[in-house]
Amino acid sequence: MSKVSESSVQAAFPIRGWFAESPPDFRSDFLALARPKSYAAGSVIFQAGDVGQDVFGIYSGVVTLQSRLSHPDAVLLHMVWPGEWFGTWSVLLGKGRRMSAIARTDVGLLRIPGDDLRALLRRRPQWHAELARDAVWGTDIAMQIAADLLIHNALARCAAVLLRLAGRRWASGPDAELPVEIPASQNELAMLCNVSRNTFSRVVKDLSSRGLLTLNYRSLTLNDPTRLRDIANTG
């Protein structure tokens, strides 16, 4: 990819989450190291246990994450969307990958080479704290996953999990209320919601009848995140 297109991708990269909370100087230094890289749907970006310290940010498409601690039944743990980053733990800890990252759709990424990032951190050691924001963000997501799965009411639990998978659970900003398509099958979504396939089908039928979601082939579209948040929070 040409330098011109690299610059345009960097400039257009969505600023969200922990990255938005970092100082502009850090974001500028960080993005200056980035190089675009594409993966086809189904490609393994890295696997748990791999040695490697490159950091990745998503500018298009969806990536799925699977914990190294996952049960074999839990083939999918979380989805990350444009504007989100993954892979920072390996840089911070100096150890192998703690999870697997797989392209769920065709994805466009920004890759921060590990050697370049470590050199930046040696020059600007204060940026360690900024990079650690992503670790804190990830911990919040992990607690959110656990908390949502403790919701007793199946309808509310499913709404909460679907919103999280779509990046809309606690979203704010102009895209928070926009419809979004989750690229996952009903079997995968039922597993993630910790309900039976039959229960999930009943939930989908109920929410579809209210116009809150649309069932597609191997995907599901959330039509009204605001009303789904009401259901997730009140049952």
Side-chain angles (χ1 to χ4, degrees), residues 37-46 58 60-64 79 101-109 183-184 188 218:
K37 188 172 180 62
S38 299
Y39 288 87
S43 299
V44 176
I45 300 167
F46 57 72
I58 305 173
S60 66
V62 181
V63 172
T64 60
M79 293 183 174
I102 300 169
R104 173 53 58 125
T105 65
D106 291 345
V107 294
L109 304 178
E188 290 174 317
R218 293 190 63 81

Side-chain angles (χ1 to χ4, degrees), residues 49-234:
D50 284 354
V51 175
Q53 296 187 3
D54 292 353
V55 174
F56 298 88
I58 305 173
Y59 66 81
S60 66
V62 181
V63 172
T64 60
L65 301 179
Q66 181 177 347
S67 170
R68 65 189 177 92
L69 305 176
S70 293
H71 188 277
D73 289 345
V75 294
L76 168 63
L77 180 66
H78 188 52
M79 293 183 174
V80 284
W81 296 76
E84 298 185 85
W85 296 85
F86 57 96
T88 55
W89 277 101
S90 295
V91 176
L92 292 169
L93 299 178
K95 297 182 178 180
R97 301 295 189 184
R98 299 179 64 82
M99 60 181 59
S100 299
I102 300 169
R104 173 53 58 125
T105 65
D106 291 345
V107 294
L109 304 178
L110 287 183
R111 181 180 70 90
I112 310 291
D115 289 343
D116 293 347
L117 180 54
R118 288 191 296 275
L120 171 64
L121 294 174
R122 287 193 295 270
R123 295 194 306 271
R124 304 289 296 272
Q126 68 271 33
W127 289 162
H128 277 94
E130 299 306 323
L131 196 63
R133 289 180 185 271
D134 188 42
V136 175
W137 190 265
T139 300
D140 286 344
I141 293 292
M143 290 191 292
Q144 181 185 103
I145 292 171
D148 286 346
L149 290 177
L150 291 175
I151 298 173
H152 179 71
N153 181 276
L155 178 64
R157 183 165 71 254
C158 288
V161 172
L162 293 174
L163 286 164
R164 172 178 61 80
L165 291 172
R168 298 287 197 270
R169 183 69 174 97
W170 304 110
S172 60
D175 63 344
E177 316 308 329
L178 296 178
V180 60
E181 183 177 5
I182 303 173
S185 68
Q186 287 197 64
N187 285 336
E188 290 174 317
L189 293 172
M191 178 272 295
L192 286 161
C193 294
N194 196 24
V195 296
S196 70
R197 179 67 166 75
N198 287 339
T199 297
F200 188 74
S201 293
R202 289 196 297 272
V203 168
V204 168
K205 184 177 180 180
D206 179 5
L207 296 176
S208 296
S209 69
R210 302 192 227 175
L212 303 184
L213 58 80
T214 300
L215 184 63
N216 314 304
Y217 176 69
R218 293 190 63 81
S219 71
L220 186 150
T221 300
L222 306 188
N223 298 325
D224 194 332
T226 300
R227 291 171 64 192
L228 284 169
R229 275 192 288 273
D230 289 340
I231 293 171
N233 295 331
T234 62

